[in-house]
C-alpha cells in the first residue's frame, strides 16, 4: 500500500529508489554455501571453546541453582527454605535451563564423566553461536551476491575472538544475548531490503526480540530503541504518520509484556530491578566511565584493526550504490550495545563479559561493508579490501593472543573450584564438628548452592537484599551488624577483596566470637562461631586437614568436581576426609 513501505535497498541484480545504483549482477550464493559457512564458523567457535575444557564460571551456577529450585516446585529461591530473591538477572536464559532440567538434559547425570551441568549450557552456547551465524547469513543474502563470504568472515572473526568464545561457553546468558541482537539486525535488514520496514511483521518482531534481549540481560533493553531510531533516521515528511504508527507498534510489542514482567517482579521480589543490580551498585552513567570502558574494549580488539574496520564501514555508508539504510540497521544495534557496555560498571569477571553482542554485530557490519565494496569495485578496490581485511584479522588476533593465553591458563572463578573449595569443605567442617542445621556466609555462591548441606548466605549480596542495600550504600557497619546480629552464620568465609570490602577481617571476626579454621596470607580465611563448637578437641585435626586439602583444591580442583552435584555429595576423595 502507498505510504506504508520504504524503498528497497540495492541488492544484487536490482535497483531501488534512493538506495544508489545496483550492485554488480552475479549469481547469488546457493543456500548450501551459506549453510556450510555457518557450520564452518560454528566449528571454529567450538574448537576454540574446547580449549577451555570443562570450565564454567561460578556465577552461572547461581542460575543453575535457581533452575533446580523452580523445576522442583520451590519457586524462584536459591535453595530450599530460602525466601524468593531475584539473585539472577537472566530470566530468559533461566527458562532454557529449567526446560532442559524438565526434559532430563540438565542437572541429572554425567556423560563420560562430564556433568550435564557443564555439557548442557555449553551445548546451548554452541546452538546460540550457530544461530548468530545463521542470522548473519540471512542478513547477508539480502545485501551481497556472495553472502557466504560474509558469513565465513564473521565466523573467522568470532572464532578467533577469545572474549566472544569464552563467554559463549561460560554457562552464562551471553550467547543468547548475542544471538538475539544479531537476529534483530537481520530482521531489520531483510525488512529494509524487501521495502517492508513499516510493516506489522518487522515492527512486532523487533519489539519481541528486544523483549527477549531485555529478559536475557537488563542492558538488553537498549535494543528496544533500534527500530524507532531506524525509522527516525530514514524518515520522510510524507510518511510521518505510517512511521509513527510503526514505531508505536514496535514499542508496544516490547513495552506491554515488559511492563507486565516488571509488575510481576515488583509483586514477587519487591524491587523493580534485579537484586543483582543493587548489589553491584550500578551508578548513573558518566562520560569518564564511558570513555575508559569503551577505550579498554577497543584496545582489546586492537586499535589498528578497529580503525580499518571503521574506515571500511564508513566508506560503505557514504558510497553510492551501497545499501546504506540496511547497513544502518546493523550499525544502530552495534552502536547501542556498545554504548550500553560503556556505561556499565566494569565487571569483575574480566574479558569484557558485557560486550558479547558487540562482537557479532561488529563482525556483520565489517563483513557486509568489505564484501559489498569488493563486489561493487574493480580489481584495485578489491585488492585494497582484501589487504585491509587480512590486516584487520592479523592485528586483531595479535592484540588478543596474550589475553587469550592468560585466560585459558587461569579462567575466571571456575564452578568446580567453588564446589571443591567451599561446598565440600564447609560440608566437611559441619560434619566433623557435628553441627546440624548450620549456615555459612560467603561470597562465592554458585558451586556452594549446588552442593552445600548448610543454609547459604551471600556475602556479595546477589541473593541477600539487606546485604545488597548495604553494599550499594557503602554501609559496611550496617552489613556487619545485620550479619552478626540477625543472620548469625555458623561459618564465615571471607578472603581478599571481600574481607576488605565488608570488614570481615580477623580482628572483627575474633571480636564477634568466631574461631579460625583456615587462615590465608591476606588475613582472611574460614571461621566458625565458637558457641556452635561442642567438641573443641576436634578443631586441631580439622585445621590440619584444611591446611592440606584447601591448597590442593586451588591446584587441582578447578576443572573436576564429580559427575552429579547435589548437597551432601562430596567431590573430594574419601581419603581426604578427616577422621574423628
Amino acid at each position: 500500500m502507498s505510504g506504508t513501505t520504504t524503498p528497497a535497498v540495492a541488492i544484487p541484480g536490482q535497483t531501488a529508489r534512493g538506495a544508489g545504483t545496483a550492485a554488480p549482477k552475479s549469481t547469488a550464493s546457493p543456500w548450501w554455501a551459506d549453510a556450510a559457512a555457518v557450520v564452518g564458523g560454528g566449528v571454529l567457535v567450538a574448537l576454540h571453546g574446547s580449549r577451555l575444557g570443562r570450565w564454567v564460571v561460578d556465577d552461572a551456577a547461581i542460575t543453575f541453582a535457581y533452575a533446580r529450585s523452580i523445576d522442583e516446585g520451590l519457586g524462584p529461591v536459591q535453595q530450599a527454605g530460602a525466601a524468593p530473591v531475584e539473585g539472577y538477572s537472566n530470566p530468559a536464559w533461566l527458562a532454557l535451563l529449567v526446560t532442559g532440567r524438565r526434559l532430563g538434559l540438565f542437572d541429572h547425570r554425567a556423560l563420560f564423566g562430564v556433568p550435564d551441568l557443564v555439557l548442557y549450557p555449553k551445548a546451548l552456547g554452541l546452538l546460540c553461536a550457530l544461530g548468530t551465524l545463521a542470522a548473519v547469513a540471512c542478513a547477508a543474502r539480502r545485501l551481497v551476491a556472495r553472502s557466504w563470504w560474509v558469513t565465513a568472515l564473521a565466523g573467522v572473526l568470532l572464532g578467533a575472538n577469545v572474549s566472544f568464545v569464552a563467554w559463549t561457553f561460560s554457562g552464562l546468558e551471553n550467547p543468547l544475548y548475542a544471538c538475539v541482537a544479531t537476529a534483530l539486525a537481520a530482521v531489520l535488514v531483510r525488512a529494509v531490503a524487501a521495502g517492508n520496514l513499516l510493516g506489522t511483521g518487522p515492527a512486532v518482531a523487533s519489539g519481541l526480540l528486544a523483549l527477549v534481549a531485555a529478559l536475557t540481560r537488563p542492558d538488553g533493553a537498549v535494543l528496544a530503541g533500534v527500530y524507532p531510531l531506524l525509522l527516525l533516521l530514514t524518515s520522510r515528511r510524507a510518511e510521518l504518520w505510517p512511521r509513527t504508527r510503526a514505531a508505536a507498534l514496535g514499542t508496544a510489542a516490547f513495552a506491554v509484556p515488559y511492563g507486565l514482567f516488571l509488575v510481576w517482579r515488583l509483586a514477587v521480589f519487591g524491587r523493580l530491578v534485579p537484586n543483582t543490580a543493587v548489589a553491584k551498585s550500578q551508578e548513573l552513567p558518566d562520560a569518564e566511565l564511558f570513555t575508559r570502558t569503551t577505550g579498554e574494549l577497543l584496545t582489546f580488539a586492537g586499535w589498528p584493526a578497529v580503525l580499518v574496520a571503521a574506515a571500511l564501514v564508513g566508506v560503505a555508508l557514504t558510497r553510492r550504490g551501497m545499501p546504506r539504510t540496511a547497513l544502518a540497521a546493523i550499525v544502530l544495534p552495534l552502536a547501542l550495545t556498545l554504548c550500553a557496555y560503556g556505561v556499565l560498571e566494569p565487571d569483575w569477571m574480566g574479558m569484557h563479559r558485557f560486550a558479547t553482542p558487540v562482537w557479532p554485530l561488529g563482525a556483520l557490519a565489517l563483513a557486509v561493508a568489505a564484501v559489498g565494496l569488493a563486489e561493487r569495485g574493480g580489481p584495485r578496490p578489491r585488492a585494497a579490501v582484501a589487504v585491509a581485511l587480512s590486516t584487520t584479522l592479523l592485528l586483531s588476533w595479535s592484540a588478543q593472543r596474550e589475553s587469550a593465553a592468560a585466560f585459558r591458563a587461569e579462567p575466571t572463578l571456575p564452578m568446580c573450584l567453588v564446589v571443591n573449595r567451599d561446598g565440600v569443605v564447609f560440608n566437611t567442617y559441619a560434619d566433623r564438628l557435628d553441627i546440624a542445621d548450620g549456615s555459612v556466609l560467603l561470597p562465592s555462591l554458585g558451586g556452594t548452592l549446588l552442593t552445600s548441606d548448610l543454609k547459604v548466605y551471600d556475602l556479595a549480596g546477589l541473593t541477600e537484599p539487606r546485604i545488597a542495600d548495604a553494599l550499594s550504600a557503602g554501609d559496611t557497619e550496617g552489613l556487619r551488624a545485620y550479619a552478626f546480629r540477625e543472620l548469625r552464620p555458623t561459618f564465615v568465609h571471607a578472603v581478599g577483596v571481600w574481607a576488605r570490602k565488608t570488614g570481615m577481617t580477623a580482628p572483627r571476626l575474633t571480636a564477634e566470637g568466631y574461631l579460625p579454621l583456615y587462615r590465608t596470607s591476606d588475613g582472611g580465611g574460614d571461621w566458625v562461631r565458637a558457641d556452635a563448637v561442642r567438641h573443641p578437641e576436634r578443631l586441631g585435626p580439622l585445621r590440619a586437614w584444611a591446611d592440606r586439602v584447601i591448597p590442593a583444591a586451588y591446584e587441582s580442583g578447578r576443572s573436576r568436581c564429580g559427575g552429579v552435584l547435589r548437597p551432601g555429595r562430596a567431590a573430594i576423595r574419601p581419603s581426604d576426609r578427616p577422621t574423628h
Side-chain angles (χ1 to χ4, degrees):
M1 293 177 59
S2 177
T4 60
T5 60
T6 56
V9 299
I11 57 176
Q14 287 186 315
T15 59
R17 177 170 56 87
T21 58
K25 289 181 181 273
S26 59
T27 304
S29 299
W31 69 267
W32 55 264
D34 288 290
V38 169
V39 173
V43 169
L44 290 176
V45 172
L47 287 175
H48 193 172
S50 68
R51 301 184 70 180
L52 295 169
R54 301 184 184 186
W55 171 74
V56 167
V57 71
D58 185 64
D59 267 37
I62 299 175
T63 311
F64 298 175
Y66 273 92
R68 175 185 291 177
S69 294
I70 291 171
D71 185 51
E72 292 179 350
L74 303 176
V77 299
Q78 65 173 7
Q79 62 182 156
V85 177
E86 195 175 7
Y88 54 89
S89 57
N90 49 6
W93 183 252
L94 173 62
L96 294 179
L97 298 179
V98 173
T99 301
R101 197 175 194 278
R102 180 57 54 91
L103 295 175
L105 303 174
F106 178 64
D107 195 24
H108 282 285
R109 60 185 62 83
L111 296 176
F112 306 106
V114 183
D116 55 11
L117 281 165
V118 172
L119 291 175
Y120 180 74
K122 286 183 180 287
L124 283 182
L126 180 58
L127 288 176
C128 288
L130 290 171
T132 298
L133 291 169
V136 168
C138 288
R141 287 187 69 83
R142 303 307 298 265
L143 300 179
V144 298
R146 298 172 181 85
S147 55
W148 71 270
W149 285 11
V150 173
T151 310
L153 177 57
V156 171
L157 288 169
L158 295 179
N161 188 311
V162 64
S163 173
F164 178 82
V165 170
W167 297 116
T168 291
F169 295 109
S170 66
L172 287 168
E173 69 283 349
N174 298 63
L176 179 59
Y177 185 19
C179 182
V180 171
T182 313
L184 173 60
V187 165
L188 294 179
V189 164
R190 293 178 68 85
V192 170
N196 188 37
L197 185 60
L198 304 187
T200 300
V204 172
S206 66
L208 293 179
L209 285 169
L211 172 67
V212 176
L215 295 179
T216 303
R217 274 206 50 79
D219 46 296
V222 299
L223 293 177
V226 173
Y227 184 64
L229 283 174
L230 184 61
L231 293 177
L232 178 64
L233 291 175
T234 60
S235 64
R236 293 181 177 85
R237 184 175 300 177
E239 296 176 337
L240 180 59
W241 167 244
R243 287 177 182 274
T244 302
R245 171 189 170 278
L249 182 60
T251 302
F254 166 81
V256 172
Y258 193 63
L260 293 174
F261 170 75
L262 292 180
V263 171
W264 174 83
R265 170 186 278 166
L266 185 62
V268 174
F269 303 114
R271 295 189 188 272
L272 281 174
V273 297
N275 193 67
T276 56
V278 179
K280 293 177 180 179
S281 306
Q282 175 64 44
E283 298 179 356
L284 292 176
D286 60 67
E288 181 182 355
L289 173 63
F290 177 81
T291 301
R292 183 177 73 253
T293 306
T294 54
E296 291 173 353
L297 179 68
L298 299 180
T299 299
F300 169 80
W303 275 105
V306 170
L307 294 175
V308 169
L312 286 172
V313 174
V315 170
L317 285 170
T318 57
R319 181 173 175 177
R320 288 182 59 83
M322 287 294 291
R324 294 189 290 269
T325 305
L327 275 171
I330 301 170
V331 173
L332 268 176
L334 170 61
L336 288 177
T337 53
L338 181 60
C339 287
Y341 173 78
V343 300
L344 291 173
E345 291 290 335
D347 182 52
W348 69 271
M349 296 188 205
M351 200 51 70
H352 306 287
R353 177 167 74 99
F354 296 148
T356 305
V358 172
W359 305 124
L361 290 169
L364 174 58
L366 169 60
V368 166
V371 175
L373 289 171
E375 288 184 346
R376 290 162 174 80
R380 288 186 179 179
R382 291 177 185 176
V385 169
V387 170
L389 281 178
S390 301
T391 303
T392 297
L393 285 169
L394 179 60
L395 293 175
S396 181
W397 176 77
S398 299
Q400 296 179 32
R401 183 172 57 178
E402 288 187 9
S403 297
F407 191 87
R408 286 194 296 268
E410 192 169 350
T412 303
L413 192 57
M415 175 185 72
C416 278
L417 173 59
V418 175
V419 167
N420 290 320
R421 167 61 182 91
D422 294 338
V424 170
V425 164
F426 281 96
N427 281 350
T428 305
Y429 286 158
D431 178 60
R432 178 66 179 91
L433 295 172
D434 286 339
I435 294 174
D437 300 321
S439 59
V440 59
L441 174 68
L442 76 180
S444 301
L445 201 62
T448 306
L449 288 174
L450 293 175
T451 54
S452 184
D453 296 324
L454 307 169
K455 186 172 185 178
V456 180
Y457 300 121
D458 181 17
L459 185 59
L462 299 180
T463 63
E464 284 291 335
R466 296 272 298 274
I467 292 180
D469 291 336
L471 289 172
S472 180
D475 182 12
T476 55
E477 188 57 45
L479 184 156
R480 292 189 294 270
Y482 171 65
F484 294 130
R485 304 291 174 265
E486 297 187 43
L487 297 181
R488 301 193 75 243
T490 311
F491 299 98
V492 174
H493 167 67
V495 297
V497 64
W498 284 108
R500 296 189 297 272
K501 187 174 182 178
T502 60
M504 294 288 180
T505 58
R508 182 59 185 262
L509 286 163
T510 300
E512 295 291 342
Y514 282 81
L515 302 174
L517 293 172
Y518 179 78
R519 300 292 294 270
T520 58
S521 58
D522 59 9
D526 302 342
W527 302 73
V528 61
R529 204 176 69 236
D531 61 9
V533 178
R534 294 180 296 171
H535 305 285
E537 71 279 4
R538 297 180 182 179
L539 289 175
L542 189 58
R543 287 167 179 153
W545 173 84
D547 287 339
R548 184 178 72 254
V549 169
I550 291 176
Y554 283 107
E555 291 296 326
S556 59
R558 292 175 173 270
S559 61
R560 295 180 182 272
C561 48
V564 180
L565 302 183
R566 291 283 188 277
R569 293 199 181 186
I572 59 172
R573 297 185 304 275
S575 59
D576 289 327
R577 287 186 172 277
T579 56
H580 289 273

